[in-house]
Amino acid sequence: MIIQLSEQITATQRETIISCVLKLGYKPNDVTTQKGRYIVGIGKKEFDIRMLGSMPGIVDIHRVSDDYKFVSNKWKVNRTVIDLGDGVLIGDGSLAIMAGPCSIENEKQIEDTINHLKENGVGIMRGGVFKPRSSPYAFRGLGIDGLKLWYSLARKAGIKIVSEVMQVSQIEEMVDYVDIFQVGARNTQNFNLLDELGKVDKPVMIKRGISGTIDELLSSAEYVFSAGNEKLMLCERGIRTYERASRNTFDINAIPILKEKTHLPIIADPSHGVGIREYVEPVALAAAVAGADGIIYETHQKPEEAFSDGQQTLDFAESARMIQKLNKVRQLLTSY
Ligand code: PEP
Ligand code: MN
């Protein structure tokens, strides 16, 4: 169960509620986020909800049978909308587009990408400065100095940025230079990282693990929420299957399933999802039709020269075409 507490609750009222929750056979956990104060009770026993409902200090109480509680759709009437400021919203019914290179490489590349995004009305740029690479000899990113340079150029252009954080120690150095922390597929179940991201007041996008289930993704999101951060979104980025014709298998099913299970915005990453440039556009369009709240993909001035993931990266002409098609799909969907 989730108990929403009033902001003015007194310490005595809280203690009385907790002892009542314990008496019902539930384990109470205190949760304070940017948006509210809660007690989440973990247990299975049936009880009459009215026993708690009228207690002073309680605003509302919800039964949630899922293993994950806060990220479940079962208690929230409205879907979560992430507000990045300056009118950039994710999950408000528009289709958020986040585009940029796999890796941030140099100033010229950042400027070229920003110009491309501005010309096409895209408000969020992606890019990695800490890169998880399968080989230790591959390019591993420009690090924090690259992030600072990128951030200052993006800010001047009015562009928001999303970048991957790989470990706890990077959170503090990155926090003032990102608009969204990305948790990569190799870190979906790095529970220490998730706990710490729960303590910052910055949106977090969690990618689905390479071999992760939908429920595991939701449980990862529960870590961040229950540690205090409600500004969360999830990303389907393809999973590893026996199929070798594509880099990963984009799980289109995950989009409507996640939309049903959670109130969090759902983002689709067709670049990593399919891993082959020619198929990025059809997969992106399919994800938009399936109900994704946003699309994140890789684009580069010269994909064949990209430091990483060039084989799945769109050039700017392909990217511009795809943005136009995505906008048309969104218009079509909202006209129904
Ligand atoms: C990326 O976004 O560049 C990335 C490494 O993604 P993933 O964690 O999904 O592999
Ligand atoms: Mn990549």
Side-chain angles (χ1 to χ4, degrees):
M1 80 178 103
I2 295 174
I3 303 172
Q4 282 177 278
L5 303 175
S6 109
E7 283 193 25
Q8 293 79 35
I9 191 169
T10 65
T12 333
Q13 286 170 342
R14 224 188 105 260
E15 276 158 30
T16 319
I17 296 165
I18 286 184
S19 63
C20 193
V21 170
L22 282 165
K23 252 189 245 145
L24 289 168
Y26 278 67
K27 180 177 171 284
N29 298 270
D30 242 320
V31 171
T32 303
T33 71
Q34 312 98 337
K35 297 186 185 162
R37 294 191 63 180
Y38 313 87
I39 291 170
V40 54
I42 304 300
K44 291 217 174 334
K45 284 198 193 134
E46 284 296 313
F47 68 94
D48 185 344
I49 209 158
R50 285 170 300 184
M51 289 173 66
L52 287 169
S54 55
M55 291 177 79
I58 294 185
V59 175
D60 211 344
I61 173 161
H62 317 263
R63 260 191 242 269
V64 181
S65 51
D66 297 325
D67 286 342
Y68 41 88
K69 307 289 176 199
F70 287 111
V71 304
S72 168
N73 234 346
K74 297 212 170 99
W75 73 285
K76 262 204 155 187
V77 182
N78 299 318
R79 299 196 65 81
T80 292
V81 177
I82 311 279
D83 186 350
L84 299 181
D86 305 315
V88 183
L89 300 170
I90 301 174
D92 65 331
S94 60
L95 183 69
I97 297 182
M98 315 182 204
C102 180
S103 301
I104 296 298
E105 298 168 4
N106 53 53
E107 187 164 348
K108 166 95 171 53
Q109 176 223 31
I110 299 170
E111 280 170 351
D112 288 346
T113 311
I114 287 178
N115 291 337
H116 167 64
L117 300 185
K118 300 263 320 168
E119 277 164 22
N120 289 279
V122 175
I124 309 169
M125 179 167 162
R126 64 143 287 146
V129 295
F130 297 110
K131 295 302 302 177
R133 302 306 303 276
S134 301
S135 162
Y137 308 117
F139 176 65
R140 291 162 76 176
L142 291 184
I144 193 69
D145 292 336
L147 182 66
K148 288 181 179 172
L149 170 69
W150 173 25
Y151 181 81
S152 71
L153 295 171
R155 266 292 168 278
K156 269 189 225 143
I159 297 269
K160 307 291 176 188
I161 71 179
V162 50
S163 197
E164 175 165 355
V165 56
M166 281 178 51
Q167 59 185 39
V168 171
S169 63
Q170 289 161 354
I171 296 176
E172 204 181 317
E173 52 178 358
M174 289 176 77
V175 70
D176 291 330
Y177 306 100
V178 287
D179 296 293
I180 303 170
F181 278 112
Q182 173 175 320
V183 175
R186 291 153 194 82
N187 263 320
T188 312
Q189 290 193 311
N190 180 340
F191 301 120
N192 294 327
L193 181 62
L194 299 173
D195 269 338
E196 292 305 309
L197 287 168
K199 296 179 189 158
V200 297
D201 188 18
K202 266 284 149 86
V204 175
M205 178 178 78
I206 308 177
K207 288 192 157 195
R208 180 172 178 184
I210 292 176
S211 306
T213 65
I214 289 173
D215 275 3
E216 283 167 345
L217 176 59
L218 290 162
S219 291
S220 294
E222 188 76 11
Y223 265 86
V224 180
F225 197 126
S226 64
N229 190 352
E230 295 196 23
K231 298 177 181 173
L232 267 175
M233 62 199 109
L234 305 177
C235 178
E236 164 58 39
R237 52 77 72 201
I239 46 174
R240 181 162 293 178
T241 68
Y242 52 80
E243 183 53 69
R244 301 266 51 95
S246 52
R247 179 181 179 188
N248 290 300
T249 297
F250 185 84
D251 182 8
I252 194 83
N253 304 352
I255 308 276
I257 293 174
L258 282 166
K259 293 279 292 213
E260 175 59 31
K261 285 179 178 261
T262 178
H263 51 82
L264 301 176
I266 307 303
I267 311 300
D269 176 346
S271 304
H272 296 87
V274 65
I276 300 166
R277 192 188 305 172
E278 298 87 294
Y279 308 131
V280 169
E281 181 187 292
V283 174
L285 296 173
V289 173
D293 298 289
I295 307 289
I296 185 166
Y297 68 92
E298 293 176 339
T299 184
H300 191 286
Q301 173 83 292
K302 290 198 180 112
E304 55 291 348
E305 290 175 16
F307 288 8
S308 55
D309 282 351
Q311 83 292 345
Q312 64 189 30
T313 297
L314 304 187
D315 65 27
F316 290 165
E318 291 164 331
S319 166
R321 253 197 323 273
M322 185 165 98
I323 293 166
Q324 279 177 14
K325 290 193 190 176
L326 284 169
N327 288 336
K328 282 204 180 123
V329 165
R330 182 40 92 189
Q331 275 167 16
L332 192 72
L333 290 172
T334 45
S335 68
Y336 279 114

